[in-house]
């Protein structure tokens, strides 16, 4: 199986969010990929969690960046999750040939990654990325652990208020919230979830229920049964929403603000802003409002977004990334030799250009202008980092006979383009060339080709009909076809 390396840390200083969400992604992928988690100084809790999902490697704090790079062979997909992974470090990973996925909170740097995931925002204008970078934004890409991806079943809620502010809680927000709740006249039972490094005033223990280091399954059950929760704007709020639990939530650090604004769009949530500045009256007003407005019908499945589909979408996303890696490699089938444009010699590029610029080929192109050698080579240079386009020169006995290219549309569906040397037209070569590529693509999980043809190009229209394509729509001067492989 294709290898995926996850790189994230946790501590009382940085919290456990990076670790938990990266491990949640590993859990989604583990049945389809060979996953390994890399982290520094893991706690007993971290080790227990990792062992239940995948292999792990412990790195040294002093040499964590260099040591991780030493494990790379260029065949892996790398997932980075932390603020200290700079653009230059991303480039070092890409230079080794590995595909790169970055999990982002702050969108404060240029990304050269193939994929950037940020489930806290939905505005792609916030990101400084390469043309080939795919953005996976918003709660449809939430990084949730397995129990929070399951459908909601019918349940009766109790009278519990659940309070949790993550694995570290450096500002002691838990103490603040519990103190307000205990001094008020609320009738609900208070259950506090403490993380691995969360501190709680010892005076509160006899007056509340305390749960420490709960498993994901235990937390999901708690959220299924509670009346409502009070949380920080972090992964735990998304987990609560996934179970239909009404919540009061806020932020205490900058990287939580984006997710805060995104969660505010959901039903049965009340935002209280900066938790460090939260007043007693603001919290009590929020509880009153939430209690009056929340009901079982408002905690319906439709408010969960597409959480049930998230695992399937991530598997498809990573398989597509793996497919692209294999698809871009040169290959041979019979006498046909497919050479990726980025591997072609200068002479072969000149032959491709001469063929493309010939009047018989150029007249049927979307752009009928002559292409200069300089423009062609610059485009080939761009292709080296594109993950959505792939061009091949097709040779027979070292003689260029045509070219064929693919452009990504959606998982499993690629648009196919081609042109053939006039010397080979009418010989059946074009169909052989396409069939050879289709056989390879089918093995890689691609299941459909599409094609765009100028409607007056009768030869091309008849070819697509003969090759098994079905016309699916018309648009101006073009006909659009699709074919199942």
């Amino acid at each position: 199986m294709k290898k995926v390396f996850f790189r994230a840390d946790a501590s009382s200083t940085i919290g456990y969010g990076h670790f938990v969400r990266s491990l949640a992604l590993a859990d989604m992928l583990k049945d389809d990929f060979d996953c390994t988690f890399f982290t520094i100084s893991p706690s007993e809790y971290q080790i227990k969690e990792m062992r239940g999902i995948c292999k792990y490697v412990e790195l040294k704090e002093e040499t964590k960046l260099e040591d991780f790079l030493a494990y790379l062979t260029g065949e892996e997909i790398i997932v980075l999750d932390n603020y200290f992974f700079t653009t230059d470090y991303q480039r070092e990973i890409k230079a080794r040939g590995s595909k790169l996925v970055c999990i982002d909170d702050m969108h404060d740097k240029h990304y050269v990654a193939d994929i950037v995931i940020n489930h806290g925002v939905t505005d792609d204008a916030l990101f400084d990325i390469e043309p080939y970078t795919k953005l996976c934004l918003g709660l449809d890409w939430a990084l949730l652990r397995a129990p929070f991806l399951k459908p909601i079943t019918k349940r009766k809620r109790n009278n519990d208020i659940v309070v949790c502010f993550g694995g570290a809680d450096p500002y002691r927000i838990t103490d603040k919230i519990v103190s307000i709740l205990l001094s008020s006249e609320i009738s609900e039972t208070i259950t506090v979830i403490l993380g691995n490094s969360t501190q709680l005033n010892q005076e509160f223990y006899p007056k509340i229920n305390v749960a420490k280091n709960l498993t994901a399954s235990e937390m999901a059950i708690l959220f299924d049964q509670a009346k409502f929760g009070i949380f920080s704007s972090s992964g735990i709020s998304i987990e609560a929403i996934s179970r239909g639990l009404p919540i009061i939530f806020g932020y205490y650090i900058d990287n939580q603000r984006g997710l805060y604004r995104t969660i505010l769009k959901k039903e049965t949530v009340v935002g209280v802003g900066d938790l460090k500045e939260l007043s007693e009256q603001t919290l009590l007003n929020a509880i009153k409002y939430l209690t009056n407005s929340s009901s079982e019908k408002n905690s319906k499945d439709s408010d969960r977004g597409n959480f049930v589909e998230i695992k399937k979408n991530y598997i498809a996303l990573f398989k597509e990334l793996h497919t692209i890696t294999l698809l871009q490699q040169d290959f041979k089938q019979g006498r046909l030799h497919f050479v990726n444009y980025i591997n072609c010699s200068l002479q072969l590029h000149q032959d491709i250009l001469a063929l493309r610029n010939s009047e018989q080929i150029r007249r049927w192109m979307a752009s009928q202008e002559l292409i200069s050698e300089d423009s062609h080579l610059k485009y080939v240079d761009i292709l080296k980092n594109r993950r959505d386009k792939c061009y091949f020169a097709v040779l027979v006995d070292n003689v260029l006979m045509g070219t064929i290219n693919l452009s990504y549309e959606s998982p499993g569906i690629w648009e196919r383009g081609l042109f053939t040397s006039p010397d080979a037209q009418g010989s059946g070569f074009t169909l052989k060339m396409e069939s050879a590529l289709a056989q390879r693509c089918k093995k890689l999980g691609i299941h459909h080709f599409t094609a765009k043809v100028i409607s007056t190009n009768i030869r091309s229209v008849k070819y697509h009909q003969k090759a098994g394509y079905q016309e699916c729509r018309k648009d101006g001067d073009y006909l659009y076809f699709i074919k199942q492989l």
Side-chain angles (χ1 to χ4, degrees):
M1 291 191 290
K2 179 71 174 179
K3 292 183 178 180
V4 182
F5 288 175
F6 295 85
R7 177 69 188 88
D9 299 323
S11 71
S12 58
T13 303
I14 66 172
Y16 282 72
H18 303 286
F19 171 80
V20 170
R21 67 189 182 186
S22 293
L23 195 60
L25 180 55
D27 196 18
M28 294 185 216
L29 300 176
K30 66 182 181 183
D31 293 334
D32 296 89
F33 296 86
D34 181 5
C35 298
T36 305
F37 208 99
F38 293 78
T39 191
I40 61 168
S41 305
S43 64
E44 291 184 10
Y45 162 75
Q46 287 177 268
I47 291 173
K48 178 183 177 182
E49 291 295 306
M50 289 186 290
R51 282 178 174 168
I53 293 173
C54 63
K55 305 184 294 292
Y56 75 93
V57 175
E58 183 174 351
L59 300 174
K60 296 179 180 179
E61 170 66 44
E62 300 79 10
T63 56
K64 60 187 178 185
L65 297 176
E66 299 83 359
D67 290 351
F68 179 68
L69 292 176
Y71 281 92
L72 308 189
T73 66
E75 298 296 322
E76 313 86 2
I77 298 174
I78 309 303
V79 180
L80 299 181
D81 188 358
N82 216 311
Y83 312 127
F84 54 73
F85 296 122
T86 63
T87 304
D88 286 341
Y89 194 69
Q90 294 175 47
R91 288 196 177 101
E92 287 193 63
I93 291 173
K94 293 284 288 180
R96 283 163 166 75
S98 300
K99 294 297 182 182
L100 178 59
V101 178
C102 288
I103 300 175
D104 167 83
D105 281 324
M106 301 294 289
H107 37 275
D108 59 350
K109 62 177 69 69
H110 179 71
Y111 282 102
V112 299
D114 297 282
I115 297 170
V116 174
I117 301 167
N118 184 318
H119 59 207
V121 299
T122 57
D123 184 3
D124 56 10
L126 296 171
F127 294 83
D128 183 11
I129 58 176
E130 293 291 319
Y132 57 83
T133 303
K134 178 181 177 64
L135 293 173
C136 296
L137 307 180
L139 295 181
D140 285 349
W141 293 100
L143 294 162
L144 290 168
R145 294 177 287 177
F148 302 101
L149 296 172
K150 296 179 179 179
I152 296 176
T153 56
K154 291 183 179 180
R155 73 284 196 221
K156 184 177 180 180
R157 294 197 178 277
N158 57 33
N159 209 36
D160 274 3
I161 300 175
V162 180
V163 178
C164 183
F165 292 92
D169 189 15
Y171 296 97
R172 302 295 292 267
I173 305 295
T174 307
D175 278 353
K176 181 178 183 178
I177 298 298
V178 173
S179 178
I180 294 174
L181 293 176
L182 289 176
S183 64
S184 68
E185 296 181 355
I186 63 169
S187 59
E188 291 85 357
T189 302
I190 302 169
T191 297
V192 176
I193 302 173
L194 297 182
N196 194 58
S197 300
T198 310
Q199 300 297 316
L200 181 66
N201 190 326
Q202 294 293 314
E203 295 179 3
F204 296 150
Y205 276 80
K207 306 172 185 178
I208 62 175
N209 298 323
V210 176
K212 190 173 178 63
N213 291 333
L214 294 182
T215 66
S217 295
E218 290 169 337
M219 289 185 68
I221 292 171
L222 189 60
F223 292 168
D224 279 350
Q225 298 173 347
K227 182 176 182 180
F228 65 88
I230 305 176
F231 307 119
S232 57
S233 178
S234 59
I236 193 166
S237 287
I238 304 176
E239 290 178 342
I241 291 169
S242 79
R243 308 314 302 159
L245 179 69
I247 66 169
I248 296 168
F249 73 112
Y251 55 83
Y252 57 80
I253 51 178
D254 286 343
N255 72 328
Q256 295 177 344
R257 290 174 181 263
L259 181 57
Y260 177 80
R261 290 189 289 269
T262 297
I263 293 177
L264 274 176
K265 301 173 185 177
K266 305 294 287 183
E267 296 180 13
T268 62
V269 303
V270 179
V272 292
D274 190 341
L275 291 164
K276 299 192 300 295
E277 306 296 328
L278 179 65
S279 68
E280 177 178 351
Q281 193 57 52
T282 298
L283 178 59
L284 295 179
N285 287 342
I287 292 173
K288 182 178 180 181
Y289 176 84
L290 190 64
T291 301
N292 290 337
S293 63
S294 295
S295 66
E296 193 69 24
K297 67 178 181 180
N298 287 331
S299 299
K300 55 187 180 298
D301 287 359
S302 61
D303 191 42
R304 302 176 65 230
N306 296 321
F307 292 173
V308 174
E309 301 295 319
I310 285 175
K311 178 177 178 178
K312 181 175 70 175
N313 292 341
Y314 268 120
I315 291 172
L317 181 72
F318 275 70
K319 282 186 174 180
E320 196 68 48
L321 196 56
H322 184 203
T323 294
I324 293 163
T325 304
L326 297 177
L327 183 62
Q328 291 175 337
Q329 297 173 359
D330 298 353
F331 69 98
K332 292 182 179 180
Q333 183 156 329
R335 296 178 62 202
L336 302 184
H337 186 191
F338 291 74
V339 183
N340 192 298
Y341 270 27
I342 64 178
N343 298 325
C344 291
S345 65
L346 178 59
Q347 180 60 60
L348 186 50
H349 279 304
Q350 291 171 342
D351 293 343
I352 293 168
L353 196 58
L355 182 58
R356 187 308 183 174
N357 281 337
S358 66
E359 196 277 334
Q360 295 134 299
I361 301 297
R362 179 164 49 88
R363 63 185 293 211
W364 300 115
M365 292 293 181
S367 173
Q368 298 181 10
E369 296 181 1
L370 292 169
I371 298 176
S372 69
E373 183 176 316
D374 183 59
S375 294
H376 173 77
L377 294 177
K378 284 182 178 178
Y379 184 68
V380 172
D381 195 51
I382 292 172
L383 287 175
K384 293 177 181 178
N385 284 318
R386 292 295 291 264
R387 61 178 301 274
D388 59 341
K389 292 184 182 294
C390 189
Y391 283 72
F392 291 97
V394 185
L395 312 180
V396 176
D397 298 330
N398 294 320
V399 176
L400 177 67
M401 299 299 290
T403 80
I404 193 163
N405 62 277
L406 295 171
S407 298
Y408 177 80
E409 287 191 357
S410 60
I413 303 176
W414 290 69
E415 181 183 350
R416 190 274 301 132
L418 55 80
F419 59 83
T420 306
S421 169
D423 296 336
Q425 291 179 3
S427 66
F429 172 79
T430 305
L431 188 57
K432 290 179 182 178
M433 176 173 68
E434 178 168 347
S435 296
L437 181 63
Q439 288 179 40
R440 178 174 175 80
C441 289
K442 190 173 181 179
K443 292 178 181 177
L444 298 178
I446 297 173
H447 47 75
H448 281 87
F449 281 170
T450 64
K452 176 182 175 183
V453 180
I454 296 176
S455 58
T456 55
N457 189 349
I458 303 303
R459 178 191 290 271
S460 184
V461 172
K462 288 183 176 180
Y463 164 78
H464 284 85
Q465 292 171 340
K466 181 180 179 180
Y469 284 83
Q470 301 294 319
E471 183 181 328
C472 53
R473 64 186 177 95
K474 298 180 180 179
D475 181 13
D477 296 331
Y478 291 96
L479 299 176
Y480 293 83
F481 293 89
I482 190 167
K483 174 183 179 180
Q484 184 173 349
L485 303 186

